[in-house]
Amino acid sequence: MPIIVHEDKHLFEIQTARTSYVFGVNEKGILQHLYWGETIAAHDCAHRLRSRSHSSFDAEVERECEEFSFWGGVGYSEPSLKAQFSDQVRDLKMVFEGYRIEKDKGLECLILILKDAFYNLKVHLYYRIIPELDLIERYAEAVNTGEDDIVLESFQSAAWTMPYMLQSRMTHVAGSWAGEYQLRETVLSEGKKIIESRRGFTGPHANPWFAMDDGSAAESVGEVWFGALGWSGNWKIVAEKTIFEHVRVTGGIHDFDSQWMLRSGESFVTPVFVGGYSSSGFGGMSRTLHRYQREYILPTEAKRKVLYNSWEATTFDVHAGEQIELAKKAAKMGVERFVVDDGWFGKRNSDRAGLGDWDVNPDKFPSGLDALIREVNDLGMDFGIWVEPESVNPDSELYRNHPDWVYHFPTRTGTQLRNQLVLNLAMPEVKQYIIDFMTRLLSSHPIAFIKWDMNRTITEPGLQGFPQEQQREIWIRHVQSLYDIWAELRAKFPNVEFETCAGGGARIDFGMLRFADQAWPSDNTDAFDRLRIQEGFTYVYSPQIMMCWVTDSPNGMNGRKLPLSFRFHSAMTGALGIGGNLREWADSEIGEAAVHITSYKEIRHLVQVGKQYRLSSLRHSKLAAVQYVNDDHTDSVVFVFLHAQQFGRHSQLKLQGLAGGMVYDVEGLSKETVQLHGSTLMKAGIPLNMRGDFDSVMIRIKAREGTHE
Ligand code: DGJ
């Protein structure tokens, strides 16, 4: 039973395999957080459950660590809920009414019920528990039980109070297009550190995830508290440290330019903000989050196929003949899925026209799309296609027929980004248009895979079709409608797999991943830059969903020349794809690629569903190294990348996750297979014979039959 209620002490205790999460209702009725971390005797916290006044300026200090901050009275910390009633009163006095424990999605769930002392507003706080992963999924629901409207001005998913630490260091990711998922650290001082998106989608500049430690945690050691929000629109995570040294992280849908009308009888449910604890550093945190995605978030269990995508080879110049040429080369290499990217529809010869007109371009496919699909299938591959349903080029039939279908303010000219505007997904007819054309596309062609792109932010957020008091619902309605569309398509076409892409990795989060099987982390396909992007990505997201393409050298973005083996090894640390212009590849390169693809198929179960250990980072070293191990420690693969050798020196690398007493066959270190004990591999490490610039190696480690721990 992971939920224990100590009624006599007014304490709630959530137990997971290795943690305690404790809070109580104090004498003023405030839900006061008391502890979160490694397992303790929770009832010992009872003596700390009390209201504390410091001065008339800080009358209820415990409100700095309230389980959920209702804005009203003397509560001044980051609000979890701020509301306005129909008589213009903007003050909440939420009184604890009771609790219930029930199963939610098969998991034990504690639900706290609070009610305003005067108004007809109820709030339910949910704590859904995943004991074996030490995770708690938190979300909240507001219910209008009266006759009058209530305006929700800010409604966050959860507030996580951190335990006391000598210093609080926050880790997060920052980035930009082509440079997503860069790891950053900041030590908090009094005030707030905010990471956010106000651009209408998750965004490349930050990602809704945080980790907190006392400055001493590292990849494989130390205590780390962390959380990740499942929302694909405007979001905000606020880490706040007070003068009384309380540190709290509040997160949810961004309250900027946002409000929600809660009409009589209606309720609003926030997205889930999952929180967890790891006592084995950032690596432990990531392995927990990877397993969480696989077991609780992703829609399917299927392993990722090796795909080919023609975007970098042909851009908008998509013609059946060249696509078939590419497909033949891809099939020869062992590719399993062939994907035609942008440019196959309407008058889409550049990014200036055609977006919105989803009919196959007859000039580009004179025998129809199915002729290409048949060729691809005959070559032994399945077929995928690119779409960007939320956007429209003004130069398109769709826009000419429906200029009012985009978000806009009547007195403003809509800003065009990549020559496109954003469709108003909140309008029922627009939503239906997207469902209809996608249904047509998927039911009239044998398509196995959809890459769903979104290449701009939202501007001029006028929500046509909605009354004045609901205009600021746009940010939420866009995402709700997007989720509805994906849910409907996935239900209608259960065998079609989906990728989330937004000009690279700008819409990857636990909200979108409930619908998407895989994700495109970045348009930057330089295998060296990718190592940093992929490292940050795997802090939160599983290598299983991380699509990585092998592209041409020199790289189109930065001109860097890299050996084919380096490009493959970098891409093999996630879900492998090929994105180069194969028509230009020499036969020897196609041959070498085939060998790498064969190796990948032999190790992909480790990369995609094994445990990942990041052994070395380019942030601190000239070596990047990452290892994957199966659950019973018998099978492992390591990829090592050298940036630049200096002074003729060689490096050593210590492995992880093996069984000390087992003897392993180690392939890849030298020409011969060597036998080494797990203890030797992990404690003494292995010598690396890597040389020059941009060297890389794949090392395969397999337990010898008959050896054991
Ligand atoms: C942006 C994506 O990230 C690319 O992979 C490609 O699909 C282009 N859009 C197509 O316009």
Side-chain angles (χ1 to χ4, degrees):
M1 179 71 162
I3 300 161
I4 298 168
V5 183
H6 304 265
E7 300 264 5
D8 54 332
K9 296 192 161 59
H10 310 286
L11 286 186
F12 291 89
E13 176 185 1
I14 294 173
Q15 287 181 345
T16 67
R18 288 155 290 261
T19 69
S20 305
Y21 183 102
V22 190
F23 60 92
V25 186
N26 76 10
E27 75 276 17
K28 290 198 171 165
I30 291 164
L31 281 172
Q32 188 182 341
H33 180 88
L34 296 169
Y35 177 78
W36 183 24
E38 213 159 330
T39 306
I40 57 164
H43 46 81
D44 287 353
C45 295
H47 72 280
R48 292 200 277 124
L49 185 61
R50 61 184 171 83
S51 181
R52 178 158 81 90
S53 173
H54 176 76
S55 71
S56 57
F57 306 116
D58 292 290
E60 290 169 353
V61 176
E62 77 278 12
R63 292 199 62 183
E64 293 180 355
C65 42
E66 217 174 339
E67 275 298 293
F68 205 77
S69 282
F70 299 102
W71 194 77
V74 295
Y76 296 104
S77 46
E78 179 69 18
S80 312
L81 175 60
K82 185 171 184 305
Q84 176 170 302
F85 298 102
S86 58
D87 58 3
Q88 307 300 303
V89 168
R90 311 184 311 283
D91 181 87
L92 290 169
K93 186 158 181 46
M94 302 303 294
V95 181
F96 179 69
E97 230 190 29
Y99 71 91
R100 55 179 206 274
I101 295 171
E102 61 187 37
K103 288 264 184 209
D104 184 6
K105 295 191 171 161
L107 294 166
E108 205 81 14
C109 185
L110 169 66
I111 302 155
L112 307 177
I113 303 142
L114 296 102
K115 188 188 171 323
D116 188 85
F118 181 82
Y119 295 96
N120 291 311
L121 174 65
K122 276 200 179 192
V123 172
H124 298 176
L125 303 180
Y126 292 81
Y127 297 76
R128 197 162 53 206
I129 301 146
I130 307 180
E132 74 280 12
L133 295 182
D134 299 314
L135 293 176
I136 304 175
E137 292 187 320
R138 289 186 58 186
Y139 61 101
E141 180 181 17
V143 190
N144 182 347
T145 56
E147 297 296 313
D148 302 322
D149 295 344
I150 301 170
V151 180
L152 304 179
E153 295 182 346
S154 173
F155 192 24
Q156 302 301 296
S157 296
W160 300 97
T161 302
M162 298 295 137
Y164 174 76
M165 301 181 207
L166 273 179
Q167 67 166 1
S168 300
R169 177 177 67 172
M170 178 175 171
T171 304
H172 62 101
V173 287
S176 58
W177 175 79
E180 299 87 341
Y181 302 99
Q182 305 292 311
L183 286 159
R184 298 284 185 267
E185 291 167 356
T186 182
V187 173
L188 301 178
S189 60
E190 290 82 352
K192 293 178 183 176
K193 163 80 186 170
I194 300 174
I195 54 172
E196 63 176 2
S197 166
R198 285 184 283 120
R199 294 166 203 247
F201 62 178
T202 324
H205 305 93
N207 193 267
W209 160 82
F210 76 94
M212 199 74 73
D213 76 301
D214 69 359
S216 69
E219 183 59 28
S220 48
V221 292
E223 294 190 291
V224 179
W225 288 257
F226 56 90
L229 179 74
W231 186 245
S232 315
N234 285 357
W235 60 271
K236 171 169 97 158
I237 290 181
V238 180
E240 182 173 21
K241 179 171 179 168
T242 73
I243 200 72
F244 297 102
E245 305 208 40
H246 292 129
V247 172
R248 198 157 63 142
V249 183
T250 304
I253 296 173
H254 210 308
D255 55 345
F256 176 80
D257 191 46
S258 177
Q259 66 178 34
W260 189 266
M261 285 297 294
L262 203 59
R263 310 268 189 207
S264 168
E266 286 181 355
S267 66
F268 184 89
V269 180
T270 70
V272 171
F273 194 3
V274 68
Y277 166 84
S278 154
S279 58
S280 45
F282 295 101
M285 167 198 74
S286 301
R287 287 186 289 279
T288 296
L289 286 172
H290 298 168
R291 214 179 124 193
Y292 170 60
Q293 275 148 88
R294 286 201 301 271
E295 293 176 16
Y296 294 92
I297 300 280
L298 295 173
T300 52
E301 282 182 4
K303 298 228 178 43
R304 300 298 90 222
K305 292 192 171 179
V306 178
L307 65 70
Y308 176 81
N309 180 296
S310 62
W311 171 245
E312 290 199 17
T314 57
T315 63
F316 299 97
D317 216 3
V318 173
H319 291 278
E322 279 130 28
Q323 297 294 315
I324 290 171
E325 252 184 86
L326 289 166
K328 284 183 177 153
K329 301 245 177 179
K332 215 169 162 188
M333 289 162 49
V335 165
E336 299 160 310
R337 169 170 291 162
F338 184 83
V339 183
V340 172
D341 209 281
D342 199 349
W344 57 269
F345 53 91
K347 297 207 169 62
R348 185 74 169 166
N349 298 317
S350 73
D351 63 18
R352 286 186 292 281
L355 198 57
D357 300 339
W358 297 104
D359 292 314
V360 179
N361 181 323
D363 299 333
K364 296 183 176 183
F365 295 92
S367 317
L369 186 61
D370 282 353
L372 171 64
I373 301 181
R374 261 194 309 277
E375 289 263 8
V376 166
N377 292 162
D378 289 348
L379 287 164
M381 300 179 288
D382 69 22
F383 181 82
I385 203 158
W386 176 98
V387 292
E388 185 175 352
E390 294 151 83
S391 295
V392 62
N393 284 127
D395 185 0
S396 66
E397 290 311 309
L398 180 68
Y399 187 76
R400 278 185 280 276
N401 293 333
H402 302 285
D404 54 330
W405 275 15
V406 295
Y407 296 122
H408 68 283
F409 291 123
T411 55
R412 300 279 181 223
T413 306
T415 305
Q416 291 185 33
L417 300 170
R418 211 190 189 212
N419 307 301
Q420 64 200 51
L421 300 166
V422 184
L423 291 173
N424 179 346
L425 258 57
M427 283 171 82
E429 52 273 49
V430 175
K431 186 173 171 184
Q432 201 54 50
Y433 170 79
I434 294 176
I435 291 172
D436 288 347
F437 93 71
M438 285 298 295
T439 302
R440 243 187 348 266
L441 181 68
L442 291 173
S443 41
S444 49
H445 306 286
I447 291 172
F449 171 80
I450 288 288
K451 172 178 173 183
W452 184 299
D453 204 349
M454 172 58 171
N455 281 292
R456 58 157 296 168
T457 56
I458 294 179
T459 55
E460 296 87 27
L463 188 61
Q464 266 57 44
F466 285 80
Q468 204 191 343
E469 70 275 13
Q470 285 184 272
Q471 283 298 303
R472 289 169 195 232
E473 294 179 3
I474 174 209
W475 306 107
I476 297 174
R477 287 193 178 272
H478 185 89
V479 183
Q480 287 178 334
S481 188
L482 179 74
Y483 287 167
D484 287 350
I485 293 169
W486 278 60
E488 185 163 339
L489 293 174
R490 297 240 40 167
K492 268 190 185 159
F493 302 99
N495 298 324
V496 178
E497 293 180 0
F498 282 67
E499 175 173 286
T500 174
C501 167
R507 194 159 60 192
I508 302 170
D509 58 78
F510 286 164
M512 210 61 218
L513 292 177
R514 285 182 296 132
F515 305 101
D517 304 278
Q518 62 186 53
W520 180 233
S522 181
D523 276 354
N524 186 338
T525 60
D526 170 73
F528 181 67
D529 280 3
R530 266 297 189 117
L531 292 175
R532 289 283 296 272
I533 293 171
Q534 292 170 189
E535 177 191 40
F537 183 95
T538 63
Y539 260 57
V540 199
Y541 304 109
S542 159
Q544 179 184 11
I545 61 154
M546 179 173 76
M547 289 311 299
C548 312
W549 301 346
V550 176
T551 54
D552 297 337
S553 175
N555 183 269
M557 182 173 294
N558 59 18
R560 183 176 283 128
K561 290 184 185 157
L562 290 171
L564 190 57
S565 51
F566 190 102
R567 283 177 274 149
F568 260 98
H569 289 154
S570 170
M572 285 161 78
T573 65
L576 177 64
I578 316 294
N581 186 359
L582 302 184
R583 287 173 304 164
E584 308 278 311
W585 286 27
D587 286 349
S588 58
E589 290 175 301
I590 300 281
E592 185 184 336
V595 174
H596 288 301
I597 291 176
T598 305
S599 313
Y600 181 74
K601 289 176 183 168
E602 283 164 13
I603 52 108
R604 80 172 135 195
H605 62 286
L606 297 170
V607 173
Q608 296 190 13
V609 298
K611 292 197 176 86
Q612 188 203 42
Y613 295 86
R614 292 177 295 255
L615 304 177
S616 181
S617 166
L618 289 171
R619 287 179 297 141
H620 314 296
S621 149
K622 56 189 180 299
L623 277 190
V626 60
Q627 182 185 1
Y628 304 84
V629 188
N630 68 351
D631 280 342
D632 51 11
H633 320 284
T634 54
D635 199 359
S636 177
V637 65
V638 186
F639 292 95
V640 193
F641 305 87
L642 173 71
H643 181 189
Q645 186 190 28
Q646 282 191 297
F647 318 119
R649 291 184 195 147
H650 292 284
S651 311
Q652 292 268 125
L653 187 70
K654 288 184 185 175
L655 306 188
Q656 291 186 36
L658 303 171
M662 277 192 197
V663 179
Y664 295 89
D665 282 334
V666 183
E667 279 172 39
L669 277 185
S670 60
K671 286 207 174 74
E672 275 90 51
T673 300
V674 288
Q675 278 92 47
L676 292 168
H677 278 84
S679 54
T680 311
L681 291 165
M682 293 192 289
K683 303 291 175 202
I686 47 175
L688 297 169
N689 186 25
M690 300 174 79
R691 292 164 61 88
D693 294 342
F694 301 118
D695 198 2
S696 67
V697 65
M698 180 180 105
I699 302 166
R700 187 68 200 277
I701 298 158
K702 275 190 188 167
R704 303 210 94 195
E705 293 276 318
T707 68
H708 51 80
E709 285 192 62

